[in-house]
Amino acid sequence: MSALILRNPATEAVVAELPHATVEDMDAAIVRAAAAGDAWRTVSPADRNRLLRRFADTVAAHADELAELETRNMGMPIGSSRWCANAVADTLHYFAGAVEKHAGSTIPVAGGVDMTFHEPLGVVGLITPWNFPMLIASWKLGPALAAGNTVVLKPAEITPLTSIRLGELALEAGLPEGVLNVVVGPGSTVGWRLVEHPLVRKVAFTGSTVVGKRLMQGCADQVKRLTLELGGKSANIVFADADLEKAAAAAPGAVFDNSGQDCCSRSRVLVQRSVFDEFLEKFVAAAAAWKVGDPMDTATAMGPLVTADHLARVLAYSRDLQPVFTGEVPDGPGYWHPVMIAVADDMSPVACREEIFGPVAMVIPFDDEADAVRICNDSEYGLSGSVWTRDGARALRVVRAMEAGTISVNSNSSVRYATPFGGFKQSGLGREHSMHVLDHYTELKNVFISTE
Ligand code: ADP
């Protein structure tokens, strides 16, 4: 059994050393989840609601501990980690409340009564990434468990610590054994078993588009249910009539948050030509004030990248750029990459096309509304995006024309548990959050009863 050594990305100190699960361990967890299925699906809705709320409250009571663990494991600033830990609790509460509200319907038909049921799928495999480990786990745990499924959670092998802790807290809160299983191991072997194993009825994945495509091919064999939340190259569109102060103040957060390791990162900043220089100057000034450093310091806006390997991947993009602004990074150990702003005439540079997943903003000019929409949609991705304008009709015209699933106007907002989140094109398949996601964790069964 190989061991996994996890390092604090800000200090390179060893945070934990833990064994990798094997494929046999994964198989055992899947069997355990299947065995717990009958008991969980027959827990009364009110009791399932209560148990999930107790899980949520237990998470909230351990929010500081979870936040610190996340920050030491993946380098996210502690303020963001605390926000995430509380958002995990809120997400679990939302889906606890949904247990008794995701109702079927009766349909008028001749000769009898017709009704629908939302049946649990059975065992669901949750495969999560390293950028928001506990938060993204909760996006899948909440609806999967609320709908009556049992789960096997396979966190990213480099950031498993908060997911392991969530598993412990679930038991502490009284979730029956076997309902929530956590298995830590490499994706291509241990994670892949969730695709191969016939007892797993659905895979819910967040990660890279490359792996998402592989999972889609793998799931085809068993027509296994699959939802995918993949990459992005989202646009932050700033029109000349926008509140430029506000748009520029928000622009660093839109792209540099979580060191740009965010699938919703607005890494293409599209600016109307008539205000291009004025906006760029304000954007650079706001980025210069962006505090990069010790992620345990509550004043820090941005920490390091997650690993040395990921730093090398981001540098492979950024070293060929001629940035108009490059920020400072701390001396000493850690996987630091400065915030960087570069200008491109159009979409041709590779840094405008590919997801860098680092703190690099590409600023591109546009002429008019049609030009902005054309550049925005000239991407294989379509996850999120923002539009900044004071003209309400323009905002509506542009958001309707954007090929993206999650859009905000005069804001960076992306993900809220009560509203649907997901991507167009190669950014994904299906939606997370809101009551809509429950359809992805249930089968719709139709029953006709004759009254004749
Ligand atoms: P990133 O590029 O952001 O590291 P990945 O898509 O490689 O993201 O990984 C996201 C998650 O998918 C992780 O939990 C990883 O272990 C898992 N994973 C990677 N490859 C596979 C695979 N072939 N089968 C199943 N899971 C995988």
Side-chain angles (χ1 to χ4, degrees), residues 30 44 54 62 74-75 93 110 123 129 132 135 165 175 199 201 263 272 279-280 292 300 320-321 358 378 405 433:
I30 293 169
S44 79
R54 216 181 293 154
H62 290 80
M74 70 78 58
H93 271 299
V123 179
F132 290 95
L135 184 64
R165 196 70 189 111
L175 257 74
L199 280 177
R201 296 296 165 79
C263 47
Q272 195 153 19
F279 177 84
L280 187 60
V292 180
T300 293
D320 294 334
L321 296 174
D378 182 14
H433 291 311

Side-chain angles (χ1 to χ4, degrees), residues 101-135:
K101 301 184 187 80
H102 190 226
S105 55
T106 54
I107 300 165
V109 291
V113 177
D114 196 283
M115 63 185 104
T116 63
F117 296 89
H118 296 285
E119 303 285 15
L121 297 166
V123 179
V124 179
L126 312 178
I127 303 178
T128 51
W130 50 258
N131 58 337
F132 290 95
M134 65 176 149
L135 184 64

Side-chain angles (χ1 to χ4, degrees), residues 10 54 78 99 102 142 148 193 219 239 250 298 300 310-311 372 416 419:
R54 216 181 293 154
I78 190 72
V99 170
H102 190 226
R193 274 308 278 164
C219 285
F239 283 95
T298 50
T300 293
H310 188 58
L311 174 60
R416 295 159 191 266
T419 62

Side-chain angles (χ1 to χ4, degrees), residues 126-131 154-159 185-195 203 205-212 214-215 230 306 310 313 355 357:
L126 312 178
I127 303 178
T128 51
W130 50 258
N131 58 337
K154 210 300 285 171
E157 51 273 43
I158 54 174
T159 57
S188 57
T189 52
V190 173
W192 185 253
R193 274 308 278 164
L194 292 167
V195 173
V203 172
F205 172 80
T206 299
S208 61
T209 297
V210 172
V211 173
R214 206 170 299 151
L215 299 190
L230 308 174
V306 70
H310 188 58
R313 226 173 294 147
E355 184 178 46
F357 229 55

Side-chain angles (χ1 to χ4, degrees), residues 55 97 158 173 199 257 279 313 354 371 399 435:
F55 182 21
I158 54 174
L199 280 177
D257 240 3
F279 177 84
R313 226 173 294 147
E354 296 185 10
D371 201 28
V399 298
M435 296 298 280

Side-chain angles (χ1 to χ4, degrees), residues 347-415:
M347 280 290 291
S348 45
V350 73
C352 291
R353 312 204 69 84
E354 296 185 10
E355 184 178 46
I356 298 175
F357 229 55
V360 180
M362 299 301 296
V363 191
I364 309 167
F366 68 83
D367 292 316
D368 54 21
E369 229 174 272
D371 201 28
V373 169
R374 180 188 61 75
I375 298 170
C376 169
N377 291 345
D378 182 14
S379 169
E380 65 195 30
Y381 295 114
L383 187 53
S384 60
S386 294
V387 179
W388 294 83
T389 174
R390 285 191 174 99
D391 179 339
R394 161 178 285 159
L396 277 176
R397 282 193 301 271
V398 174
V399 298
R400 293 300 304 274
M402 287 167 75
E403 294 173 338
T406 312
I407 302 174
S408 52
V409 176
N410 297 330
S411 158
N412 293 338
S413 164
S414 294
V415 190

